[in-house]
Amino acid sequence: MPKRTKIKDLLNATEFGQQVTVMGWVKTFRNNQFIAINDGSGINNIQAVVDFNNTDESLLKRITTGAAVSVTGELVESLGKGQRVEIKVQDLEILGDSDPEKFPLQPKKHSLEFLREIAHLRFRTNTFNAVFKVRHALAFAVHKFFNDQGFVYMHTPVITGSDAEGAGEMFRVSTIDFDNIPRNDDGTVNYKEDFFGKPTNLTVSGQLEGELAAMAFGDIYTFGPTFRAENSNTTRHLAEFWMIEPEMAFYDLDDNMDLAEKLLKYVIKYALDNCSDEIEFLSSRLVEEEKQKPQNERSELNLIDKLKFCLENDFERLTYTEAIDILKSSKPNQKKQFKYLIDDWGADLQSEHERYLVEKHFKKPVILTNYPAEIKAFYMRQNEPDEHGRKTVRAMDILFPGIGEIVGGSQREERLEKLEQRMHEMHVPAEELSWYLDTRRFGSAPHAGFGLGFERLVLFVTGMTNIRDVIPFPRTPKNAEF
Amino acid sequence: MPKRTKIKDLLNATEFGQQVTVMGWVKTFRNNQFIAINDGSGINNIQAVVDFNNTDESLLKRITTGAAVSVTGELVESLGKGQRVEIKVQDLEILGDSDPEKFPLQPKKHSLEFLREIAHLRFRTNTFNAVFKVRHALAFAVHKFFNDQGFVYMHTPVITGSDAEGAGEMFRVSTIDFDNIPRNDDGTVNYKEDFFGKPTNLTVSGQLEGELAAMAFGDIYTFGPTFRAENSNTTRHLAEFWMIEPEMAFYDLDDNMDLAEKLLKYVIKYALDNCSDEIEFLSSRLVEEEKQKPQNERSELNLIDKLKFCLENDFERLTYTEAIDILKSSKPNQKKQFKYLIDDWGADLQSEHERYLVEKHFKKPVILTNYPAEIKAFYMRQNEPDEHGRKTVRAMDILFPGIGEIVGGSQREERLEKLEQRMHEMHVPAEELSWYLDTRRFGSAPHAGFGLGFERLVLFVTGMTNIRDVIPFPRTPKNAEF
């Protein structure tokens, strides 16, 4: 193909008079003269000016919203408002037409719900261009952060024969034919005939495998898809989502919190530094969107200020026990405004409580630690019971404004006996996890890790409010389109 | 935890006399005095020297292969052979014991087959430390290459409702209970009751979704897990593997080949530059391994030279038709040494033919183009029939020595009518792929892309010979351990 220049680069060009070729899609065509072209390299269009007196009318008619064009011409300083440079068209070719009667994206505002139905075309809107550029930048920043510190990226398996973690409902993976199910003599399914010779599922977490690797490489991380077969249709849940799970040997809970806070600040700063156009656009978008809300439901800070605030302040660290005390004596608890009132130590915190702590009480990100053992997973390191005999584990959850839990982690139980005992209490089958216990048998050491939900991070940084709008093709109950 | 220094950094330290703490696993303990410790940061150990006269005997006994230790002491210049620095131990703590009678990794050479059985512990061997460091470096290099050129990283879905691509057998994803299958009146499975309300599978490729994104962003890539439910137990196939799939608008086949060659050279060079210790180790390992083979089966070049050769030479580009002519008149074809003799134009190339071209005829990477339409997928751009009326498509496969096909790609058919006609001929249901065809309806444009099998790349750069040894926890027929 002829060499094209990306529009993003041309918009920053200072060398006028050069001949350039751009290829992209027509956003608008005004007065038979001004084409706004976008090639996806950035959210800003370039204006191409057609000499309509010397252009064939049949060609002009094909310059419609959505059409793909190749334009060659001179890059000149623009006299019009709103742009610094434009292209004086010498040659224009329609690469692909777009019937204006049928193209679903018209040059007007479409609802996010409508755009979700045409997820394959929404990439061409400013909003989704910005969202997925930010998503890209955040993903790259995650890799760069860990790479620069000598972490090893591990691809833990997606198909797993272990369902022992109990982090949630799982999808079964199988090649067994529903109409011809192999059975054992006792009538149970004969999984020996299945592809892997046993029941297999989609992973809910790479943590256990990540721990194996950490106990050899020291510092590792995963970044891959994870799955939950839960029938929850909320703005914060997906059946398929991407998770980042670092796991570090020789780390305790404080080291773990320090790393998580450092990671979050690094990637947010990276996005601010590398996606300023996009985040400015998204910040204005959010202000517009919130105009439809009552004053008291609007954000106190705009998106950019909220991100900067997050960078400039230490996350508030407190124990679960301290949080319960704050919540118990809080106004919404006293006035019975919480749906779930906080009476006693031991209660699992609901979204309303997390939001109160983050958005009303501390007004900044919060790290809660040392949760009751009863409400946390078997692999978390057990603390000594407190003076009341209450048992806690060295867990930590990071709560973000508007998002709730964005990180969940813990120091892991590295003591074989304690771990086995807890597995027994929680009915986790030790035989199936023998490989996991081997790390505690052969050179065990203190270690810790956490999981960061990538889409929740993208939600936070883009200011979008529905998780379906920050992943290209969302998977939710009854929905696996594209 | 007390601050530890990574061994990799200490081995390069020049400031002697400083007090340091290292934590890691004991590789060997000689003469009650010299501990070789590795923390996974690199393949080289640090030597810690214990003052055994002033150390408790019961502590000395616990310094066994595989035990986790924390050692604090003075960093001094080493007088012994084989290392530049060592630690004069002041304080030694056993973090986790390792019973030498039970620890499966003894300080001797283990077979790769044995290590595959204990994949959770093989990370602690030099070979697998090196392999997974190279794997990490290659993954990071892929992201860096694309990021630096403005490509957008797209997470295409793993669970897909579309099985139209036909790239291979698929795994079904379902929450339907085998013992309680919902049925329609006609006895067929009622998938409306399944989680997604229709049959869903694990993706075989993100290409089709990638094309949707490329037709909005211009340049995109995917890097994610893909799946094949094929019952092939070979050294080159996995049921779950990672693939990199770039897709570029406004690219033709030449642009596509240029990008693929540039990418491969970039990532190989990145690994050579950033993993020199590891690749040197793996190169020596391969020489040792090949000593057991007859002379004529050994590699002509050692690993490092082979990688450098790849960087320094243009890949040979030729058409399928030219390749057939070479193969037809080749010695192994004339002497009937090929298992599948090449008689006629149109034959699919087998591994033996690819290897002949790459390893015997050209002795370098080869890009084959313009394959017969009959043996390629529906979405590849159709060439005009040649003078014999033979139909080809603008496909390209890159063949690597010892690996075979490492990249498969094509310019895509951007013309709606041609694409629909081909789908009809190949019985691909157009209705199910209506969203795919939309990119050809609304602003279609020439575009191209390819898939790079990540594990095959890692095989090539590490010199390993079994694909099960370059992914942490391999999934193959009847095997989904860990």
Side-chain angles (χ1 to χ4, degrees):
Chain A
M1 298 278 291
K3 195 174 153 43
R4 71 167 177 128
T5 310
K6 290 194 180 178
I7 290 169
K8 189 176 184 174
D9 298 329
L10 279 187
L11 293 175
N12 293 320
T14 50
E15 198 194 319
F16 296 112
Q18 57 173 313
Q19 176 165 300
V20 297
T21 297
V22 303
M23 300 184 194
W25 292 273
V26 175
K27 299 285 275 208
T28 56
F29 184 40
R30 289 185 299 113
N31 300 347
N32 253 355
Q33 200 174 2
F34 304 108
I35 322 176
I37 306 175
N38 190 289
D39 63 4
S41 60
I43 51 170
N44 296 315
N45 310 322
I46 199 158
Q47 174 161 291
V49 185
V50 182
D51 176 6
F52 67 96
N53 288 318
N54 294 305
T55 306
D56 201 44
E57 185 138 353
S58 64
L59 184 62
L60 289 174
K61 277 197 176 145
R62 293 172 63 200
I63 307 174
T64 56
T65 298
V69 294
S70 173
V71 159
T72 300
E74 193 186 338
L75 188 72
V76 296
E77 214 164 342
S78 178
L79 302 176
K81 266 188 239 169
Q83 65 270 331
R84 204 176 53 82
V85 304
E86 62 188 25
I87 298 172
K88 215 172 128 183
V89 177
Q90 286 147 5
D91 190 49
L92 184 148
E93 189 192 343
I94 306 286
L95 299 172
D97 291 286
S98 174
D99 182 341
E101 300 293 309
K102 292 183 182 157
F103 186 53
L105 288 174
Q106 293 305 316
K108 61 157 197 168
K109 205 173 152 53
H110 295 285
S111 75
L112 295 173
E113 291 73 21
F114 170 74
L115 293 172
R116 234 169 268 150
E117 302 287 312
I118 51 165
H120 60 308
L121 296 174
R122 66 179 177 171
F123 299 134
R124 293 199 201 164
T125 65
N126 286 340
T127 297
F128 288 96
N129 186 301
V131 165
F132 289 106
K133 288 292 171 56
V134 171
R135 186 179 168 110
H136 164 82
L138 289 168
F140 186 71
V142 166
H143 286 298
K144 186 163 162 51
F145 175 84
F146 286 119
N147 179 71
D148 289 354
Q149 294 185 67
F151 280 62
V152 182
Y153 179 28
M154 296 302 291
H155 290 117
T156 48
V158 172
I159 298 172
T160 172
S162 128
D163 61 354
E165 207 215 333
E169 292 294 309
M170 300 177 95
F171 289 103
R172 197 182 46 249
V173 173
S174 174
T175 53
I176 288 178
D177 181 355
F178 279 130
D179 290 324
N180 191 12
I181 298 176
R183 299 276 177 185
N184 297 311
D185 290 346
D186 64 358
T188 55
V189 178
N190 180 5
Y191 285 104
K192 289 213 175 75
E193 298 289 314
D194 207 349
F195 190 90
F196 294 108
K198 63 174 179 177
T200 48
N201 300 296
L202 290 180
T203 186
V204 293
S205 160
Q207 178 200 315
L208 301 190
E209 292 87 355
E211 283 188 54
L212 305 179
M215 297 307 279
F217 296 109
D219 296 332
I220 67 97
Y221 73 107
T222 74
F223 189 170
T226 47
F227 304 85
R228 296 278 190 290
E230 268 150 35
N231 205 356
S232 47
N233 255 311
T234 80
T235 56
R236 295 194 310 162
H237 291 89
L238 290 167
E240 172 180 330
F241 56 100
W242 285 65
M243 192 138 72
I244 296 139
E245 296 185 284
E247 199 68 39
M248 296 74 62
F250 317 120
Y251 262 54
D252 62 20
L253 192 67
D254 288 325
D255 301 324
N256 204 25
M257 287 191 281
D258 290 346
L259 184 78
E261 183 166 343
K262 196 170 147 193
L263 168 65
L264 286 166
K265 288 179 170 173
Y266 178 90
V267 299
I268 292 168
K269 181 165 190 319
Y270 185 94
L272 278 169
D273 291 346
N274 288 274
C275 301
S276 51
D277 282 356
E278 287 80 5
I279 292 176
E280 259 171 54
F281 174 85
L282 291 166
S283 188
S284 308
R285 195 202 72 84
L286 191 58
V287 169
E288 282 304 310
E289 193 183 85
E290 291 197 338
K291 279 187 183 160
Q292 293 156 23
K293 288 187 178 178
Q295 185 78 42
N296 67 339
E297 285 180 26
R298 296 182 199 167
S299 308
E300 288 179 29
L301 297 176
N302 73 31
L303 179 60
I304 296 173
D305 291 336
K306 186 183 74 171
L307 297 177
K308 286 189 175 157
F309 181 83
C310 210
L311 297 185
E312 286 157 9
N313 290 279
D314 288 342
F315 297 180
E316 189 71 34
R317 300 181 185 191
L318 70 160
T319 65
Y320 167 89
T321 305
E322 290 162 342
I324 287 289
D325 288 343
I326 291 170
L327 288 167
K328 249 172 144 170
S329 56
S330 69
K331 231 199 240 171
N333 205 53
Q334 303 283 342
K335 294 195 168 179
K336 302 197 192 303
Q337 286 159 345
F338 282 144
K339 192 172 163 205
Y340 298 91
L341 292 179
I342 297 286
D343 292 325
D344 288 316
W345 191 95
D348 205 352
L349 299 187
Q350 305 297 322
S351 176
E352 59 183 344
H353 310 129
E354 295 177 351
R355 296 191 68 157
Y356 175 82
L357 290 169
V358 173
E359 292 162 28
K360 303 291 174 194
H361 190 85
F362 291 110
K363 294 180 186 267
K364 60 173 166 167
V366 166
I367 313 185
L368 290 186
T369 61
N370 295 305
Y371 280 79
E374 283 311 299
I375 58 172
K376 288 289 182 183
F378 72 89
Y379 48 70
M380 297 188 177
R381 194 175 200 278
Q382 298 154 44
N383 289 315
E384 288 300 302
D386 72 5
E387 66 275 22
H388 309 289
R390 299 182 301 204
K391 289 182 181 169
T392 56
V393 288
R394 296 186 71 68
M396 64 118 176
D397 283 0
I398 304 187
L399 313 177
F400 259 37
I403 306 291
E405 184 190 325
I406 195 167
V407 161
S410 69
Q411 184 173 337
R412 314 309 185 187
E413 181 55 81
E414 87 280 14
R415 298 162 297 182
L416 181 62
E417 273 179 35
K418 295 261 182 195
L419 181 58
E420 284 180 327
Q421 183 198 324
R422 191 73 190 132
M423 287 169 78
H424 182 72
E425 286 166 9
M426 296 179 85
H427 309 293
V428 179
E431 320 76 55
E432 280 184 32
L433 289 179
S434 177
W435 46 270
Y436 181 68
L437 294 172
D438 271 358
T439 51
R440 276 67 171 177
R441 291 189 185 107
F442 306 116
S444 191
H447 63 289
F450 60 85
L452 164 61
F454 186 58
E455 280 74 21
R456 292 195 179 175
L457 173 65
V458 183
L459 268 185
F460 182 71
V461 179
T462 58
M464 302 297 283
T465 47
N466 190 319
I467 202 160
R468 293 170 175 81
D469 294 331
V470 300
I471 190 165
F473 302 101
R475 267 72 183 107
T476 52
K478 307 295 174 205
N479 175 38
E481 294 307 308
F482 310 103
Chain B
M1 298 276 294
K3 196 175 150 43
R4 71 168 177 126
T5 310
K6 290 194 180 178
I7 290 170
K8 188 174 185 175
D9 298 329
L10 278 186
L11 292 175
N12 293 320
T14 50
E15 197 193 320
F16 296 114
Q18 58 174 311
Q19 176 165 302
V20 297
T21 296
V22 302
M23 302 184 193
W25 293 272
V26 175
K27 299 285 276 206
T28 58
F29 184 39
R30 289 184 300 114
N31 301 346
N32 255 357
Q33 201 172 1
F34 304 108
I35 322 176
I37 305 175
N38 189 290
D39 63 4
S41 60
I43 51 172
N44 297 313
N45 310 322
I46 199 159
Q47 175 161 290
V49 186
V50 182
D51 175 7
F52 67 95
N53 288 319
N54 293 306
T55 305
D56 203 45
E57 186 137 353
S58 64
L59 185 61
L60 290 173
K61 277 199 176 142
R62 293 172 63 199
I63 307 174
T64 57
T65 297
V69 294
S70 173
V71 159
T72 300
E74 191 186 339
L75 188 73
V76 297
E77 215 165 341
S78 179
L79 302 174
K81 268 189 240 171
Q83 65 269 331
R84 204 176 53 82
V85 303
E86 62 188 26
I87 298 172
K88 215 171 129 184
V89 176
Q90 286 148 4
D91 189 50
L92 183 146
E93 188 192 345
I94 306 286
L95 299 172
D97 291 286
S98 173
D99 183 340
E101 301 291 310
K102 292 183 183 157
F103 186 53
L105 288 174
Q106 293 306 317
K108 62 157 196 166
K109 204 172 152 52
H110 296 285
S111 76
L112 294 174
E113 290 73 21
F114 170 74
L115 292 173
R116 234 169 269 149
E117 301 287 313
I118 50 165
H120 59 308
L121 296 174
R122 67 178 176 170
F123 300 134
R124 293 199 202 166
T125 65
N126 286 341
T127 297
F128 288 95
N129 186 298
V131 165
F132 289 106
K133 288 293 171 57
V134 171
R135 186 179 168 109
H136 164 82
L138 288 169
F140 186 71
V142 166
H143 285 298
K144 186 164 160 49
F145 175 84
F146 286 118
N147 180 70
D148 289 354
Q149 295 185 65
F151 280 62
V152 182
Y153 179 28
M154 295 302 291
H155 290 116
T156 50
V158 172
I159 299 173
T160 172
S162 129
D163 61 354
E165 209 216 334
E169 291 293 309
M170 300 177 95
F171 289 102
R172 197 182 46 247
V173 174
S174 175
T175 53
I176 288 178
D177 181 356
F178 279 130
D179 290 324
N180 191 12
I181 297 177
R183 299 277 178 185
N184 297 311
D185 290 344
D186 64 359
T188 55
V189 177
N190 180 5
Y191 284 104
K192 289 213 177 73
E193 298 290 313
D194 206 349
F195 189 89
F196 294 109
K198 64 175 181 177
T200 48
N201 299 295
L202 290 179
T203 187
V204 293
S205 161
Q207 178 200 317
L208 302 191
E209 291 88 355
E211 284 188 54
L212 305 179
M215 296 307 278
F217 296 109
D219 296 332
I220 68 98
Y221 72 107
T222 74
F223 188 170
T226 47
F227 305 85
R228 296 277 190 289
E230 269 150 33
N231 206 355
S232 46
N233 255 312
T234 80
T235 56
R236 297 194 310 161
H237 291 89
L238 291 167
E240 172 179 331
F241 56 101
W242 284 65
M243 192 138 72
I244 296 139
E245 297 185 282
E247 199 69 38
M248 297 72 63
F250 318 119
Y251 263 54
D252 62 21
L253 192 67
D254 287 326
D255 301 325
N256 204 25
M257 288 191 280
D258 291 346
L259 184 79
E261 183 167 344
K262 196 170 148 194
L263 168 65
L264 285 165
K265 287 180 170 172
Y266 178 90
V267 299
I268 292 168
K269 180 164 191 317
Y270 185 94
L272 279 168
D273 290 346
N274 288 275
C275 301
S276 51
D277 283 356
E278 287 80 5
I279 292 177
E280 260 171 52
F281 174 86
L282 291 166
S283 189
S284 310
R285 195 201 72 85
L286 191 58
V287 169
E288 282 304 311
E289 193 182 86
E290 291 197 337
K291 279 187 183 159
Q292 294 157 22
K293 288 186 178 178
Q295 186 76 43
N296 66 340
E297 286 180 26
R298 295 181 200 167
S299 309
E300 289 179 29
L301 298 176
N302 74 29
L303 179 61
I304 296 173
D305 291 335
K306 187 183 72 169
L307 297 177
K308 286 190 176 157
F309 182 82
C310 211
L311 297 184
E312 287 156 9
N313 289 278
D314 288 342
F315 296 0
E316 189 72 33
R317 300 181 185 191
L318 70 160
T319 65
Y320 166 89
T321 304
E322 290 163 343
I324 287 289
D325 288 343
I326 292 170
L327 288 167
K328 249 170 142 173
S329 56
S330 70
K331 229 197 239 173
N333 204 53
Q334 303 282 344
K335 293 195 169 180
K336 302 197 192 301
Q337 287 159 344
F338 281 145
K339 191 170 162 206
Y340 298 90
L341 293 179
I342 297 287
D343 291 325
D344 289 315
W345 191 96
D348 206 351
L349 298 186
Q350 304 296 322
S351 175
E352 58 182 346
H353 309 129
E354 295 177 350
R355 295 192 67 156
Y356 175 81
L357 290 170
V358 172
E359 291 163 28
K360 303 291 175 193
H361 190 83
F362 291 110
K363 294 180 186 270
K364 60 172 164 165
V366 166
I367 314 185
L368 290 186
T369 60
N370 295 305
Y371 281 80
E374 282 312 300
I375 58 172
K376 287 289 181 183
F378 73 88
Y379 47 71
M380 298 189 177
R381 196 177 200 278
Q382 299 155 43
N383 288 316
E384 288 300 301
D386 73 4
E387 65 275 23
H388 308 291
R390 298 183 300 204
K391 289 183 182 169
T392 56
V393 287
R394 295 187 72 69
M396 65 118 176
D397 282 0
I398 303 187
L399 313 177
F400 259 37
I403 305 292
E405 183 189 327
I406 197 167
V407 161
S410 69
Q411 185 173 336
R412 314 308 186 189
E413 182 56 81
E414 87 279 13
R415 297 163 297 182
L416 181 62
E417 274 180 33
K418 296 260 183 196
L419 181 58
E420 282 180 327
Q421 183 197 324
R422 191 73 188 132
M423 287 169 78
H424 182 72
E425 286 165 12
M426 296 179 85
H427 309 292
V428 179
E431 320 75 56
E432 280 185 32
L433 289 179
S434 176
W435 44 272
Y436 181 67
L437 293 173
D438 272 357
T439 52
R440 277 66 172 177
R441 291 189 184 108
F442 306 116
S444 190
H447 63 290
F450 60 85
L452 163 62
F454 185 58
E455 280 75 20
R456 293 195 178 175
L457 173 66
V458 183
L459 268 184
F460 182 71
V461 179
T462 58
M464 302 297 283
T465 47
N466 190 318
I467 202 160
R468 292 170 176 81
D469 294 331
V470 299
I471 190 165
F473 301 102
R475 267 72 183 109
T476 52
K478 306 296 173 206
N479 174 39
E481 294 308 307
F482 310 104

